[in-house]
C-alpha cells in the first residue's frame, strides 16, 4: 500500500508513509539527550573554529584566536629539546673525547644521544649495538684491529681504515703450505711455532708474537677471535691467506673498507661516536 491511499492510523500523527499495511514512519520528536548532544556538537564546532585554525580560504585559512598550529607546536618542542641539549653540546665542543669519557654526566648524555647518529651512519655495517656482521668487525668487544684507545677509535672514524694483506696463494705458498699455516692459526696460539710463519713473511705484519700490529690493523692470529668470521672458520682462514685483503691483483681478495667520516659528520659528532663506540664496553 502506498501513502497516496488512505491512512489507517489517522490519529497517531504519522508522516503518511505506510508500507506493507502497517509499517509506518512516525513524526515523534528526537529524544532530549540526542538534541542536547546535537546542539553541544554545534557549539563545539563554533568554539573550535574560534580557537584553532579551521576553514581553508583561497590562499590562507582562518587562524583562530590563539594562533596555534601543529607545525608551530612541533617547532617549539624542537627549540625546547635544543635548549636542553645546548649546555651539553657546548661543553662537548670544548673537550677532547677522553675528557668527555671521564665526565660521567657528559658521557651518559653521549650514550643516550649518540644512538641515532650510530643508527644512521654505522649500524648498517657494524650491526645494532656494534654487534658486528660477517665482514664487519664487532665494536662491542675488546679485540681491536686498529687499537681500542679513545684516540685510536676517533682516528679510525675520522680517516677511515683499509687493511692490506697481499694474497699468498699461487707463487708464494702451495695449497699444502696454506693448510699448514691455517691449521696452526686455527689451533690458537701455535702459529708462531710454524716455520713458514717466519720464512714467508707473515711475522712482518702479524708480529713476532702473532698478535697483530695496531699500525697495520693486522689481525691477532692467536686469540680465537676472528676478524673474518664464517661458519666454516678453517675455510675462512685459508681463503684470507690465499686471496689476501684489499690486494688489487686478486679479483677474489677480501675488500673491507671503513669509510672516512670527516666529510660526512661534524667533528662534534665524530667525537660523540668515538665515545659512544668506546662505551660499548670494549674501549681500553
Ligand atoms: C660501509 C661499511 C661501514 C660503515 C658505514 C662504517 N664502518 Fe666502521 N668499519 C668497517 C670495516 C670494513 C672495518 C674494518 C676495516 C678493516 O678491516 O681494515 C671497520 C672498522 C671500524 C673500527 C675499527 C675496529 C677495530 O677493530 O679497530 C671502528 C672503531 C669503526 N669501524 C667504527 C665505525 C663507526 C663509529 C661508524 C659510523 C660513524 C662506522 N664504523 C661506519 C665498515 C664500516
Ligand atoms: C703486509 C702485511 C701482511 C702480511 C705480510 C700478512 N698479513 Fe695477514 N693480515 C694482514 C692484515 C692487515 C689483516 C687484517 C685485514 C683487515 O681486517 O682488514 C690480516 C688478516 C689475516 C687473517 C684473518 C684473520 C681473521 O681473524 O680472520 C689471517 C688468517 C692472516 N692474515 C694470515 C696471514 C698469514 C698466514 C700470513 C703469512 C703467510 C699473513 N697473514 C701475512 C696483514 C698481513
Amino acid at each position: 500500500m502506498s501513502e497516496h491511499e488512505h491512512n489507517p492510523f489517522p490519529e497517531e500523527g504519522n508522516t503518511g508513509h505506510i508500507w506493507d499495511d502497517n509499517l509506518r514512519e512516525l513524526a515523534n520528536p528526537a529524544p532530549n539527550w540526542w538534541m542536547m548532544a546535537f546542539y553541544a556538537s554545534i557549539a563545539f564546532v563554533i568554539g573550535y573554529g574560534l580557537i584553532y585554525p579551521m576553514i581553508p580560504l583561497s590562499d590562507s585559512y582562518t587562524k583562530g584566536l590563539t594562533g596555534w598550529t601543529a607545525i608551530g607546536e612541533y617547532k617549539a618542542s624542537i627549540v625546547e629539546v635544543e635548549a636542553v641539549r645546548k649546555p651539553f653540546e657546548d661543553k662537548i665542543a670544548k673537550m677532547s673525547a677522553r675528557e668527555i669519557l671521564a665526565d660521567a654526566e657528559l658521557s651518559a648524555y653521549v650514550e643516550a644521544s649518540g644512538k641515532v647518529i650510530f643508527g644512521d651512519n654505522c649500524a648498517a655495517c657494524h650491526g645494532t649495538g656494534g654487534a658486528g656482521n660477517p665482514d664487519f668487525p664487532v665494536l662491542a668487544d675488546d679485540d681491536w684491529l686498529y687499537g681500542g684507545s679513545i684516540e685510536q677509535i676517533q682516528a679510525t672514524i675520522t680517516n677511515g681504515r683499509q687493511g692490506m694483506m697481499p694474497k699468498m696463494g699461487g707463487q708464494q705458498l702451495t695449497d699444502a703450505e696454506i693448510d699448514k699455516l691455517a691449521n696452526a692459526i686455527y689451533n690458537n696460539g701455535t702459529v708462531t711455532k710454524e716455520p713458514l710463519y717466519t720464512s714467508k713473511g707473515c711475522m712482518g705484519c702479524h708480529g713476532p708474537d702473532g698478535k697483530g700490529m695496531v699500525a697495520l690493523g693486522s689481525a691477532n692470529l692467536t686469540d680465537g677471535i676472528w676478524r673474518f668470521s664464517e661458519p666454516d672458520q678453517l675455510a675462512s682462514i685459508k681463503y684470507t691467506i690465499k686471496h689476501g685483503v684489499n690486494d688489487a691483483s686478486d679479483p677474489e681478495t677480501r675488500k673491507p673498507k671503513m669509510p672516512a667520516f670527516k666529510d660526512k659528520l661534524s667533528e662534534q659528532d665524530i667525537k660523540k661516536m668515538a665515545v659512544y663506540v668506546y662505551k660499548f664496553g670494549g674501549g681500553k
Side-chain angles (χ1 to χ4, degrees):
M1 186 189 286
S2 94
E3 61 191 277
H4 302 297
E5 290 165 48
H6 99 113
N7 187 341
F9 310 98
E11 303 305 321
E12 76 182 352
N14 63 42
T15 58
H17 299 169
I18 296 163
W19 300 267
D20 294 344
D21 294 344
N22 61 1
L23 187 60
R24 58 226 189 256
E25 186 179 7
L26 302 182
N28 294 337
N32 268 346
W33 67 263
W34 194 93
M35 290 309 288
M36 282 163 70
F38 179 64
Y39 289 125
S41 63
I42 292 176
F44 175 80
V45 168
I46 294 170
Y48 186 97
L50 281 175
I51 296 170
Y52 291 112
M54 185 164 77
I55 304 167
L57 307 173
S58 63
D59 56 358
S60 96
Y61 55 90
T62 61
K63 298 212 162 50
L65 296 173
T66 58
W68 180 93
T69 60
I71 186 76
E73 181 170 291
Y74 170 74
K75 282 182 182 155
S77 71
I78 297 240
V79 169
E80 219 170 276
V81 168
E82 271 165 13
V84 172
R85 289 187 168 184
K86 190 163 187 307
F88 293 110
E89 296 287 339
D90 286 353
K91 276 191 213 161
I92 287 174
K94 292 189 206 101
M95 289 164 84
S96 73
R98 184 172 287 273
E99 288 165 335
I100 296 165
L101 264 183
D103 182 316
E105 195 190 18
L106 280 182
S107 66
Y109 165 77
V110 170
E111 210 173 344
S113 64
K115 197 173 174 190
V116 175
I117 310 174
F118 190 86
D120 287 352
N121 295 283
C122 323
C125 289
H126 289 288
T128 312
N133 276 319
D135 277 345
F136 306 106
V138 177
L139 301 179
D141 63 13
D142 60 1
D143 187 63
W144 298 95
L145 293 163
Y146 299 97
S149 77
I150 186 74
E151 289 81 9
Q152 286 163 322
I153 296 173
Q154 194 172 356
T156 295
I157 303 169
T158 306
N159 300 314
R161 302 279 193 189
Q162 196 168 5
M164 300 283 184
M165 166 166 158
K167 65 162 183 157
M168 295 289 183
Q171 296 178 348
Q172 297 282 331
L173 292 172
T174 64
D175 282 354
E177 288 171 324
I178 290 177
D179 277 2
K180 242 189 212 172
L181 277 164
N183 277 296
I185 291 166
Y186 192 60
N187 297 325
N188 310 329
T190 62
V191 69
T192 50
K193 299 192 194 90
E194 167 55 55
L196 289 167
Y197 181 77
T198 313
S199 65
K200 294 296 180 176
C202 316
M203 189 177 81
C205 288
H206 289 279
D209 57 3
K211 292 198 168 130
M213 293 181 189
V214 159
L216 301 171
S218 49
N220 185 336
L221 302 179
T222 66
D223 60 359
I225 299 175
W226 306 111
R227 162 64 186 88
F228 301 105
S229 162
E230 285 162 28
D232 185 346
Q233 193 54 46
L234 189 56
S236 162
I237 295 170
K238 286 182 197 168
Y239 189 96
T240 306
I241 300 174
K242 193 165 183 180
H243 299 289
V245 178
N246 289 313
D247 181 337
S249 72
D250 187 334
E252 287 175 70
T253 194
R254 295 188 184 278
K255 296 190 185 88
K257 181 172 196 282
M258 164 68 192
F261 278 87
K262 57 173 178 257
D263 299 325
K264 289 183 209 146
L265 291 177
S266 66
E267 215 186 314
Q268 179 99 339
D269 282 348
I270 289 178
K271 222 190 280 180
K272 284 198 239 169
M273 278 301 93
V275 171
Y276 187 82
V277 166
Y278 187 98
K279 292 200 67 152
F280 280 146
K284 52 189 172 186

